């Protein structure tokens, strides 16, 4: 497979640069050719920076486009995203909020349970205990009818 690829590569180079046909085996050895060396053996026509090349194309009236690869923000459950915020931070803060809410809810239920135990133990209604249990959290209203 590698030999077939190498032959195809040499064929491509010779097609693009017919002047190299007689010496392609000496050039296509698998070595890397640096700028000046590539220029000396005819692999490149000249050496210039990419900005120079692009500017030259613009000056010749050719249309030059800039390719910008769009990258969607990607959140990962087990790592951070490429933008520095990841699911672990979001997940952790959400868990902390849920934990704090459940702790507060547990405290409310304990107070309510104590108040209801007091009502059934004494056989009557202890209004102060029920009021303290129902007003522990301003958004929470607890009503229970004893029969």
């Amino acid at each position: 497979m590698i030999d077939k690829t190498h032959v195809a590569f040499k064929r491509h180079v010779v097609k693009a640069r017919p002047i190299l046909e007689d010496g392609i085996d000496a050039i296509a050895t698998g070595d890397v050719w640096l700028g000046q060396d590539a220029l000396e053996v005819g692999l490149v026509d000249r050496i210039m920076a990419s900005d120079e090349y692009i500017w030259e194309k613009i000056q010749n009236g050719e249309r030059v486009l800039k390719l910008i690869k769009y990258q969607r923000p990607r959140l990962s459950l087990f790592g951070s995203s490429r933008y520095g915020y990841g699911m672990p931070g979001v997940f952790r803060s959400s868990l902390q909020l849920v934990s704090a809410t459940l702790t507060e809810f547990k405290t409310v239920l304990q107070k309510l349970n104590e108040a209801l135990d007091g009502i059934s133990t004494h056989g009557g209604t202890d209004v102060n205990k029920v009021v303290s249990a129902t007003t522990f959290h301003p958004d929470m209203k607890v009503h229970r009818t004893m029969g």
Side-chain angles (χ1 to χ4, degrees), residues 7-142:
V7 169
F9 173 74
K10 291 192 297 187
R11 197 174 326 130
H12 172 76
V13 171
V14 168
K15 184 177 179 185
R17 298 196 172 268
I19 194 169
L20 297 177
E21 186 171 11
D22 294 336
I24 191 65
D25 290 325
I27 294 171
T29 60
D31 292 333
V32 174
W33 294 87
L34 299 179
Q36 188 60 40
D37 296 330
L39 182 65
E40 290 173 7
V41 296
L43 289 173
V44 296
D45 296 323
R46 61 187 170 145
I47 299 172
M48 66 171 52
S50 59
D51 289 342
E52 292 175 285
Y53 178 79
I54 292 169
W55 180 248
E56 185 178 284
K57 293 297 179 185
I58 292 171
Q59 292 299 311
N60 291 337
E62 295 182 40
R63 186 174 179 194
V64 176
L65 303 175
K66 181 177 181 179
L67 178 64
I68 300 173
K69 183 177 179 184
Y70 174 73
Q71 296 179 350
R72 287 185 276 170
R74 191 178 66 214
L75 295 178
S76 169
L77 186 58
F78 301 108
S80 64
S81 74
R82 69 173 66 111
Y83 298 109
Y85 55 88
M87 282 304 291
V90 172
F91 191 66
R92 188 178 313 108
S93 62
S94 296
L95 282 179
Q96 288 169 344
L97 179 62
V98 168
S99 177
T101 303
L102 289 175
T103 301
E104 186 176 340
F105 187 63
K106 177 182 174 186
T107 304
V108 169
L109 289 178
Q110 285 173 341
K111 286 190 173 224
L112 179 60
N113 192 39
E114 290 170 11
L116 294 175
D117 281 345
I119 292 171
S120 61
T121 305
H122 299 309
T125 304
D126 187 343
V127 175
N128 290 331
K129 287 185 179 179
V130 173
V131 169
S132 71
T134 59
T135 58
F136 179 76
H137 193 280
D139 296 334
M140 193 172 289
K141 305 283 188 226
V142 178

